[in-house]
Amino acid sequence: MSEDQDLGITQSKIHNTGEWYAEVVQKAELANYGPEGMSGFIVTRPRAYGLWERVQSYLDTRFKQTGVQNAYFPLFIPEGYLEREKEIVEGFDPEVAWVEQAGRNELEERLAVRPTSESIIAPYLSQWIRSYRDLPLRVNQWTSVVRWEATETKPFFRTKEFLWQEGHTAHATRADAWAETMRRLNQYESTYEDLLAIPVLQGAKPEHDKFPGADTTTTVEALMPDGKSVQGATSHYLGTEFADAFDITYTDTDETSRVAHTTSWGLSWRALGALIMTHSDNQGLVLPPTVAPEQVVIVPIWQTETKERVLEYAEDVANNLDDAGIRVELDDRDDQNPGFKFNEWELKGVPLRAEIGPDEATEGTVTLIHRPDGESITAERSEIVETVQEQFDAVYAKLYAAAEETLNSNIRIAETRSELLGTIGQHGGYVKTPWCGDEGCETAIKDEIAAEIVMVPISSDEDDEQDTTDENMGVNNDTTVESNEKSLDLTDSTCVVCDNPAFKTAYFAKSY
């Protein structure tokens, strides 16, 4: 196999999505699989870790602007801590890795390798909170967790160890805690839409699929080009269950002891999987300029007699862009031809390529090529910084528009069971249906076509902090829900599975 062939992507995104995705991840130098005998673990290469750092920076800035402080809690959680919250134990038990021996000594108490941190953080919130003056208390940690997945793993989408952030807060009232839950969900939505160029839908998980111990789990869902949904991030209103279990109480202004309301919320490197899957193509990785390690690659094109002049001009352009804070790479290797360089940087996802040959050096121009579609722009040398920044916006807009079209054209309505099964079977995507709220009706669909309820809409009145008394807070029970300009009227509707009265709108989809 030639070097050029080795660079290329051999699998089809449309026809062999899983194999294509794995090939892009490895050939674009994002990750390697873990050691033999450690299936489900990956080695994150610098290019992928750089993407994660930009996600981290984006979110961390916004967290701190809204009162969050970073902290760090132990990797290991004593078994007794987990058992204090019954639903955590039951929810995560199949996926928990345990440490039973240290060196040659058997431990007196097993230690769980952190699957999530509510049970190790809550006891310390209890120590730190005494008075209403200590509230709200907001902490976050950037870390990794381990969940021993029994299902098939996929780099970034589903691995046994993964990077994430998890925020934990305590509040005096239910209204304040719910506002916090939605604040974080909106920040996650912004991360996808304003940083990663991926439109998402906001909703809540059904009662049977919420985070163990939570009152309400909210989610942002992203639709992949193969018609499967990705749970992009979750924000949980935990109610008072964890506070009761770990004695998180405070003395109110009237000297009465009250139980705090808590939240937790997290985004993992699954966002990187969604980024890769959404934008990339059969030439390799495609990245928006907002996160790309190199935003511009300059490829000088010369003959022997023009080499010195072209390289001098290209270096001057590179320095100009670098001084403006643009991440630029000058590929002046003389052991590779321009065609090889074009293919290599396309494979690695650089959003903008600048070609500089003798003509550009003579005319004082730069030829700019958009990675997503090959569109060519001629930029004046004197305006190169402004033009490059304009082209970044244009590339981002193209990526977002393509993803938005995928989402908007793949939300469909089904009002009977046969319509639901047929639509998902033929098209994939999201199918909105009337639902009675019974888990058994979801199970019947899941058993037949491997699709599940990925979300139910959050009713508009839940954002009103005065309306916080609904037992199933955050889950829509309204008769009409508007989403993506496609409405489903539940008036006099019956569940598509059991024909009982329908009170909710369910979004069914296959998912990663």
Side-chain angles (χ1 to χ4, degrees):
M1 180 181 290
S2 72
E3 199 170 25
D4 282 322
Q5 289 174 318
D6 191 47
L7 273 181
I9 300 298
T10 63
Q11 299 293 332
S12 165
K13 181 176 183 178
I14 296 176
H15 301 295
N16 301 297
T17 305
E19 293 83 355
W20 164 85
Y21 176 84
E23 192 174 13
V24 170
V25 165
Q26 293 180 82
K27 287 191 173 181
E29 300 178 358
L30 299 176
N32 292 113
Y33 292 104
E36 187 175 349
M38 285 181 58
S39 65
F41 292 85
I42 62 172
V43 175
T44 310
R45 299 187 65 173
R47 293 186 67 77
Y49 199 84
L51 297 175
W52 178 243
E53 286 179 315
R54 289 191 170 85
V55 172
Q56 181 178 11
S57 176
Y58 184 89
L59 270 174
D60 201 59
T61 298
R62 283 152 184 79
F63 290 163
K64 289 174 179 174
Q65 288 172 345
T66 49
V68 179
Q69 298 182 82
N70 285 332
Y72 187 81
F73 295 83
L75 169 66
F76 301 114
I77 303 174
E79 185 171 14
Y81 276 46
L82 282 181
E83 290 178 343
R84 288 169 68 178
E85 214 305 306
K86 178 175 177 289
E87 290 193 47
I88 279 281
V89 175
E90 293 176 351
F92 284 102
D93 184 61
E95 299 177 350
V96 176
W98 293 97
V99 176
E100 299 181 350
Q101 182 173 316
R104 298 178 179 176
N105 300 317
E106 185 173 332
L107 298 177
E108 293 182 8
E109 181 179 14
R110 292 196 304 173
L111 300 176
V113 182
R114 163 176 68 212
T116 184
S117 296
E118 281 76 6
S119 296
I120 191 69
I121 291 178
Y124 291 92
L125 298 186
S126 176
Q127 293 180 33
W128 300 341
I129 294 169
R130 288 290 177 265
S131 162
Y132 70 92
R133 295 184 182 88
D134 300 320
L135 299 174
L137 192 152
R138 300 180 175 99
V139 295
N140 174 70
Q141 64 174 353
W142 294 92
T143 186
S144 69
V145 295
V146 173
R147 296 180 186 173
W148 218 265
E149 297 271 5
T151 56
E152 181 181 355
T153 56
K154 185 184 293 291
F156 303 114
F157 279 120
R158 193 173 290 277
T159 51
K160 288 187 170 76
E161 180 185 16
F162 53 90
L163 296 177
W164 79 344
Q165 58 74 212
E166 51 178 318
H168 299 262
T169 70
H171 305 263
T173 67
R174 183 182 182 99
D176 287 347
W178 178 251
E180 179 79 10
T181 302
M182 293 307 297
R183 178 181 298 115
R184 303 310 162 194
L185 192 69
N186 289 334
Q187 289 177 332
Y188 293 144
E189 179 183 66
S190 175
T191 301
Y192 277 90
E193 297 194 343
D194 301 326
L195 183 72
L196 303 180
I198 302 174
V200 294
L201 298 177
Q202 283 193 11
K205 290 297 183 183
E207 184 76 8
H208 59 268
D209 193 31
K210 64 186 182 181
F211 179 78
D215 179 288
T216 304
T217 290
T218 66
T219 180
V220 291
E221 298 285 327
L223 186 65
M224 297 297 97
D226 63 353
K228 292 183 180 180
S229 183
V230 169
Q231 179 181 287
T234 51
S235 183
H236 315 288
Y237 168 61
L238 301 177
T240 58
E241 184 158 342
F242 282 89
D244 282 328
F246 293 94
D247 193 31
I248 306 175
T249 59
Y250 67 97
T251 302
D252 209 344
T253 54
D254 60 2
E255 300 301 318
T256 301
S257 179
R258 302 188 190 281
V259 179
H261 294 255
T262 63
T263 78
S264 66
W265 25 275
L267 176 145
S268 79
W269 70 11
R270 185 178 292 173
L272 302 188
L275 175 71
I276 299 161
M277 179 75 76
T278 297
H279 301 309
S280 302
D281 58 24
N282 289 339
Q283 281 67 55
L285 184 66
V286 177
L287 296 172
T290 44
V291 295
E294 306 90 1
Q295 295 171 303
V296 183
V297 60
I298 299 175
V299 179
I301 304 168
W302 70 78
Q303 293 78 40
T304 302
E305 63 275 14
T306 59
K307 179 178 181 179
E308 183 176 353
R309 179 163 59 93
V310 167
L311 281 180
E312 182 178 352
Y313 183 80
E315 288 172 1
D316 187 55
V317 172
N319 290 335
N320 196 183
L321 295 175
D322 183 65
D323 289 343
I326 293 169
R327 298 187 292 276
V328 59
E329 176 76 18
L330 173 60
D331 189 350
D332 58 359
R333 293 175 293 174
D334 56 13
D335 60 340
Q336 299 292 354
N337 62 48
F340 178 89
K341 295 176 184 179
F342 294 167
N343 291 334
E344 182 178 28
W345 291 110
E346 283 185 353
L347 175 64
K348 291 182 176 180
V350 180
L352 203 61
R353 183 173 76 242
E355 298 177 6
I356 293 176
D359 290 344
E360 283 84 2
T362 299
E363 297 168 3
T365 61
V366 177
T367 300
L368 301 175
I369 311 295
H370 291 188
R371 168 64 180 90
D373 58 5
E375 180 182 354
S376 178
I377 304 292
T378 299
E380 295 295 325
R381 172 66 185 87
S382 60
E383 301 173 353
I384 187 60
V385 170
E386 294 80 3
T387 304
V388 163
Q389 290 171 336
E390 289 170 359
Q391 300 315 304
F392 286 163
D393 291 341
V395 168
Y396 194 97
K398 287 179 180 179
L399 296 178
Y400 191 91
E404 188 174 43
E405 170 60 25
T406 296
L407 175 62
N408 288 342
S409 62
N410 284 283
I411 301 176
R412 300 176 176 89
I413 292 175
E415 296 184 342
T416 67
R417 178 174 180 153
S418 60
E419 284 182 3
L420 169 59
L421 294 172
T423 302
I424 291 179
Q426 181 177 355
H427 302 290
Y430 298 116
V431 181
K432 299 169 59 173
T433 67
W435 178 49
C436 65
D438 188 335
E439 180 182 1
C441 291
E442 181 200 43
T443 302
I445 300 300
K446 187 185 296 187
D447 290 344
E448 189 160 350
I449 203 170
E452 60 189 346
I453 298 173
V454 297
M455 56 168 267
V456 296
I458 300 172
S459 61
S460 58
D461 63 359
E462 293 302 345
D463 285 330
D464 181 352
E465 294 185 11
Q466 303 305 312
D467 183 11
T468 58
T469 59
D470 188 352
E471 181 180 354
N472 293 315
M473 183 175 183
V475 179
N476 177 70
N477 295 322
D478 289 348
T479 57
T480 305
V481 178
E482 297 292 335
S483 179
N484 261 39
E485 299 181 355
K486 298 185 178 185
S487 63
L488 182 61
D489 189 349
L490 296 182
T491 306
D492 298 325
S493 289
T494 58
C495 176
V496 297
V497 180
C498 69
D499 291 330
N500 287 328
F503 303 104
K504 306 178 192 298
T505 297
Y507 280 63
F508 277 86
K510 295 184 178 181
S511 61
Y512 280 102

